[in-house]
Amino acid sequence: MTRSPYSSPASRRQFLALSGGALAATALAAAGCSAPDDGASTADAADASEGSKTLTRIGLDYPFTQLPLYSTLVKLSTAAAKKHDVSLLTTSDAGNPDTQATNLTTWITQKMPAIVSFPMVFEATEAMAKRALDAGLIWVTYGGSLEHQSADIQFSFLEGGTLLGEAAAKWANEQLGGKGKVAFLTDGTIQLGRERTKGMIDAFTKNAPGVDVVAREQAIDPDTGLSKSRAVLAKHPDLNLILGVTDAAAYGGFKALQQTGRKATDAKTFVGGQDGAAPSLLAIKQGTFYRASAALAPKDIANAVVDVPLAVAAGKANPSVQVPITLVGRGDTATIDDLLAQNS
């Protein structure tokens, strides 16, 4: 599995500086993360360094707090941890790689026994993950792979994009006669985004070659999806399809289309995304032109956040997991209701 690149060069340099340990001396005071409880006993750290089968704390570092999945993930992971008498602590990175570096440095300094981290800058995080392992801590990479890690959690990235691209192409062939215009909201910054983007674009363009690709815009959150889609619509008001690397971005496209006068039930429009975010699932269920999502079950992810580090601590071989993904559309009412219940 390849490692992932990166945010902007400037941000990347800052992150590299931070992850190199420059802030180690001050990180404890400066970090905005939830500090490990003071029950972080010497015994706990020693246990971790010796590969103990007992974990009492897991740190979840999920930086994209702006995504709808974040609060759901924290709630369900906390509940899953509680079943194992484990405390789950979280960072507050606010989507900033420098803040993420500071918070992770804090946890390594404090010897958080197990860290589950979704790196914003995979290359720079490599050195940090190595320091965690050298300190005897468990490091689980979320949303990709690092060379230095105990295990990883992935979400069938390529498959999710492929499922969405195939479904959209099938719709375009059936409803538009294989013609029309499509815009892709993509992500080229991390492994997850790059693989989802590739699956989405490759599957769509292969199966609907007569549809014109008029835009490929970087967008993972609703605000960016909205602004980028509005810009595309200014040039192409007859745009038929918007496909997103996340449901959050695609939902921004969904709102942009409505703001420019498109009826929510327009028969010649298709919007789809990935993740299974609640607003998108509701729009699908209501019969709008938000027609599909390559959806993850939040409980599956939350369980992996807890089960994978516990498996590492227990010495299980090959504890990494691939969380399954399912394409849902208008007719999948029972599945949508189940996913919405998990998100509530």
Side-chain angles (χ1 to χ4, degrees), residues 162-185:
T162 300
L163 288 172
L164 177 62
E166 290 176 343
K170 182 174 185 293
W171 179 89
N173 290 328
E174 293 176 350
Q175 303 301 322
L176 305 177
K179 304 296 182 183
K181 295 181 178 179
V182 60
F184 297 109
L185 301 178

Side-chain angles (χ1 to χ4, degrees), residues 148-328:
H148 298 90
Q149 63 179 27
S150 307
D152 58 44
I153 299 170
Q154 300 199 26
F155 315 133
S156 307
F157 310 142
L158 188 66
E159 179 187 1
T162 300
L163 288 172
L164 177 62
E166 290 176 343
K170 182 174 185 293
W171 179 89
N173 290 328
E174 293 176 350
Q175 303 301 322
L176 305 177
K179 304 296 182 183
K181 295 181 178 179
V182 60
F184 297 109
L185 301 178
T186 67
D187 177 41
T189 64
I190 61 173
Q191 179 182 345
L192 184 161
R194 290 161 64 92
E195 292 190 18
R196 280 184 173 185
T197 296
K198 176 175 172 50
M200 176 175 70
I201 294 178
D202 286 356
F204 183 85
T205 54
K206 175 184 176 182
N207 292 289
V211 177
D212 292 334
V213 179
V214 298
R216 302 183 186 194
E217 298 286 348
Q218 168 75 30
I220 64 169
D221 63 272
D223 289 344
T224 306
L226 175 65
S227 62
K228 294 290 182 67
S229 297
R230 286 180 65 90
V232 174
L233 284 164
K235 296 180 179 178
H236 304 280
D238 55 346
L239 185 70
N240 301 104
L241 300 98
I242 296 178
L243 303 185
V245 69
T246 65
D247 272 320
Y251 198 79
F254 176 65
K255 300 304 291 186
L257 283 159
Q258 292 181 77
Q259 290 176 6
T260 52
R262 199 76 55 97
K263 291 184 179 179
T265 56
D266 186 86
K268 299 298 183 183
T269 305
F270 183 111
V271 173
Q274 303 176 61
D275 281 330
S280 301
L281 294 174
L282 282 170
I284 295 169
K285 184 179 178 181
Q286 291 165 354
T288 72
F289 60 68
Y290 203 116
R291 300 181 187 276
S293 173
L296 295 156
K299 283 186 178 177
D300 290 343
I301 304 174
N303 288 336
V305 165
V306 175
D307 290 345
V308 172
L310 286 174
V312 173
K316 180 180 178 181
N318 302 319
S320 298
V321 300
Q322 279 274 357
V323 179
I325 195 162
T326 303
L327 186 82
V328 295

Side-chain angles (χ1 to χ4, degrees), residues 48-127:
S49 66
E50 295 165 4
S52 169
K53 294 184 180 180
T54 302
L55 273 183
T56 59
R57 289 178 288 123
I58 296 172
L60 171 62
D61 169 53
Y62 186 96
F64 302 108
T65 54
Q66 75 273 32
L67 298 183
L69 175 63
Y70 175 73
S71 59
T72 299
L73 180 61
V74 172
K75 181 184 70 175
L76 295 178
S77 298
T78 300
K82 189 175 182 180
K83 293 178 182 177
H84 296 278
D85 294 323
V86 173
S87 297
L88 186 91
L89 297 103
T90 60
T91 52
S92 180
D93 301 335
N96 185 307
D98 299 336
T99 304
Q100 182 179 46
T102 300
N103 289 336
L104 289 171
T105 298
T106 298
W107 274 354
I108 294 169
T109 303
Q110 294 180 332
K111 295 193 179 300
M112 174 69 75
I115 297 171
V116 180
S117 177
F118 189 170
M120 294 190 72
V121 187
F122 272 66
E123 181 186 60
T125 309
E126 195 69 68

